[in-house]
């Protein structure tokens, strides 16, 4: 979550405590629904407000809710843990939009502005590039780094285009192949690398050193050229090629480290904040169970 959004949320909730849980597998936050409602509405009984809000929902809205909502154990004021309705980031945004509250208006205006900017970028794509450059400059990256980063984005797209031509079509397949490259040269999958650096939803490459970025780019460029030459098809064959590409970066890494006398894998990141907790295992609530809970509440009315 970027600093602008953090600032907006902080102002919106006026520093109210919003309990959240991080799911490292899905790389997603889940926020307490009743905490958000209490912050927005100052309701004396946020649980009852949430119950009434669900009552007013259409069947379609309830079905959509079940997609985002999970019941998780969150610590209460009495120090005990209770099952609590939580929503992911997208679900919380939808919740804020549906709650009539003056406190929610700044956030709704921000969402509307974000939507306008994305539409404008459809007609003038250069606006999106300028936005990215401004984003990086505001966070202290120099223009040389920014140029290399944007070039890396293009190179990554070239690789995924080659993978697509070679029968890779599903998102999880792209993830598997990317992990093969990372695992080979760094000894870690992308998720493990992020954990090592202490980051969550943030971009891994945005938090790499120059050498780490260079090795990542080398592994992907080598994979692309090997795939173009050998023309593997399907996940199994492409995994072999991805490992070969990662090995090229591994050889370069070992040579650099031999001369440096130290590892080039760094724990450094570009964050100006630090995560204080590390919840890794969350209990899923199925769509069916959530719908049953909603219906049971209606019958109890």
């Amino acid at each position: 979550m970027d600093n602008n959004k953090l600032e907006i949320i902080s102002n919106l909730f006026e520093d109210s405590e919003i309990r959240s849980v991080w799911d490292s597998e899905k790389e997603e936050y889940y926020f307490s629904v009743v905490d958000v409602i209490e912050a927005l509405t100052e309701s004396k009984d946020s649980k009852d407000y949430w119950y009434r809000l669900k009552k007013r929902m259409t069947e379609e809205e309830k079905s959509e809710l079940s997609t985002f909502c999970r019941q998780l154990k969150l610590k209460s004021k009495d120090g005990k843990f209770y099952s609590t309705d939580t929503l992911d980031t997208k679900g919380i945004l939808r919740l804020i939009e549906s709650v009539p509250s003056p406190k929610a208006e700044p956030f709704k205006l921000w969402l509307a502005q974000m939507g306008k900017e994305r539409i404008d970028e459809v007609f003038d794509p250069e606006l999106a590039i300028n936005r990215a450059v401004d984003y990086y400059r505001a966070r202290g990256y120099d223009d040389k780094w920014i140029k290399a980063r944007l070039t890396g984005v293009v190179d990554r797209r070239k690789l995924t285009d080659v993978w697509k031509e070679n029968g890779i079509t599903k998102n999880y397949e792209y993830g598997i192949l990317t992990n093969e490259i990372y695992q080979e040269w760094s000894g870690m999958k992308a998720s493990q690398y992020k954990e090592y650096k202490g980051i969550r939803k943030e971009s891994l490459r945005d938090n790499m050193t120059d050498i780490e970025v260079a090795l990542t780019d080398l592994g992907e460029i080598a994979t692309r050229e090997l795939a173009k030459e050998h023309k593997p098809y399907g996940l199994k064959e492409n995994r072999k090629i991805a490992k070969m590409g990662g090995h090229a970066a591994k050889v370069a890494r070992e040579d650099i480290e031999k001369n440096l006398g130290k590892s080039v894998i760094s724990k450094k990141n570009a964050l100006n904040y630090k995560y204080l907790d590390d919840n890794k295992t969350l209990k899923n609530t199925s769509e069916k169970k959530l719908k049953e809970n909603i219906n049971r509440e209606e019958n109890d009315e």
Side-chain angles (χ1 to χ4, degrees):
M1 192 176 295
D2 61 64
N3 292 337
N4 290 334
K5 192 180 294 184
L6 284 172
E7 182 179 352
I8 291 170
I9 291 177
S10 177
N11 292 336
L12 173 64
F13 295 138
E14 296 182 351
D15 298 322
S16 299
E17 181 184 0
I18 308 297
R19 291 171 295 168
S20 62
V21 179
W22 169 250
D23 186 337
S24 60
E25 290 186 4
K26 292 190 175 183
E27 296 192 346
E28 185 61 79
Y29 282 101
Y30 287 85
F31 302 90
S32 167
V33 174
V34 292
D35 288 354
V36 172
I37 289 175
E38 183 176 350
L40 289 176
T41 66
E42 296 182 347
S43 172
K44 294 181 180 179
D45 191 343
S46 53
K47 291 182 180 179
D48 181 68
Y49 191 104
W50 175 225
Y51 163 70
R52 300 290 175 183
L53 184 61
K54 288 186 287 186
K55 283 279 291 180
R56 295 196 299 268
M57 290 181 180
T58 64
E59 288 301 320
E60 182 178 352
E61 289 173 330
K62 291 175 185 175
S63 178
E64 183 178 18
L65 172 67
S66 66
T67 303
F68 305 125
C69 194
R70 299 170 67 179
Q71 282 201 332
L72 302 174
K73 294 276 189 180
L74 294 181
K75 190 175 183 179
S76 187
K77 292 180 180 179
D78 62 6
K80 297 180 181 179
F81 287 81
Y82 299 97
S83 293
T84 307
D85 280 347
T86 65
L87 288 168
D88 63 10
T89 305
K90 185 175 181 180
I92 285 295
L93 294 180
R94 294 298 300 272
L95 174 65
I96 292 172
E97 288 180 308
S98 65
V99 173
S101 167
K103 290 186 178 182
E105 289 308 311
F107 206 98
K108 293 177 182 179
L109 290 173
W110 176 76
L111 289 173
Q113 179 63 27
M114 291 287 285
K116 178 184 180 301
E117 290 175 1
R118 297 304 176 272
I119 292 173
D120 289 343
E121 289 167 5
V122 171
F123 295 99
D124 186 358
E126 186 178 342
L127 293 174
I129 299 173
N130 290 334
R131 179 166 56 85
V133 171
D134 291 340
Y135 173 90
Y136 287 125
R137 280 179 173 174
R139 279 149 186 79
Y141 295 100
D142 61 39
D143 287 351
K144 182 179 180 181
W145 185 96
I146 295 171
K147 183 177 180 181
R149 181 70 176 92
L150 295 180
T151 300
V153 172
V154 175
D155 287 337
R156 168 71 183 182
R157 180 57 62 88
K158 290 178 180 178
L159 172 59
T160 57
D161 287 343
V162 171
W163 279 342
K164 187 174 182 179
E165 292 173 1
N166 293 348
I168 303 302
T169 59
K170 298 179 175 62
N171 287 335
Y172 77 86
E173 293 178 318
Y174 290 110
I176 289 173
L177 295 178
T178 300
N179 277 329
E180 284 288 350
I181 298 172
Y182 274 116
Q183 183 81 49
E184 183 62 23
W185 79 260
S186 74
M188 295 178 283
K189 295 180 180 179
S191 59
Q192 295 170 326
Y193 209 154
K194 293 179 76 171
E195 185 176 353
Y196 181 75
K197 283 184 170 288
I199 59 178
R200 292 183 174 176
K201 289 182 74 68
E202 297 84 5
S203 165
L204 178 54
R205 293 194 204 208
D206 285 356
N207 290 278
M208 286 181 166
T209 64
D210 290 347
I211 292 179
E212 289 175 305
V213 170
L215 291 172
T216 301
D217 289 344
L218 174 60
E220 293 194 342
I221 291 172
T223 299
R224 183 188 73 210
E225 294 305 307
L226 287 165
K228 287 166 64 176
E229 180 67 26
H230 295 284
K231 295 180 172 52
Y233 195 84
L235 182 59
K236 185 177 180 180
E237 293 183 16
N238 274 285
R239 288 185 74 169
K240 295 178 182 178
I241 297 298
K243 189 170 184 177
M244 291 169 61
H247 184 73
K250 180 181 179 180
V251 172
R253 173 194 170 184
E254 290 174 343
D255 187 58
I256 294 171
E257 291 180 340
K258 181 179 178 181
N259 290 288
L260 280 177
K262 63 180 181 180
S263 175
V264 296
I265 302 296
S266 172
K267 284 191 173 184
K268 292 181 180 179
N269 61 46
L271 306 184
N272 59 3
Y273 49 88
K274 184 178 180 180
Y275 294 108
L276 300 178
D277 62 345
D278 191 20
N279 296 291
K280 297 179 180 178
T281 304
L282 301 178
K283 183 177 181 181
N284 281 306
T285 298
S286 66
E287 288 188 26
K288 182 178 180 181
K289 185 175 181 180
L290 183 60
K291 289 178 182 178
E292 289 174 351
N293 290 339
I294 294 174
N295 291 332
R296 184 168 61 251
E297 289 175 350
E298 290 181 344
N299 294 332
D300 289 341
E301 174 66 3

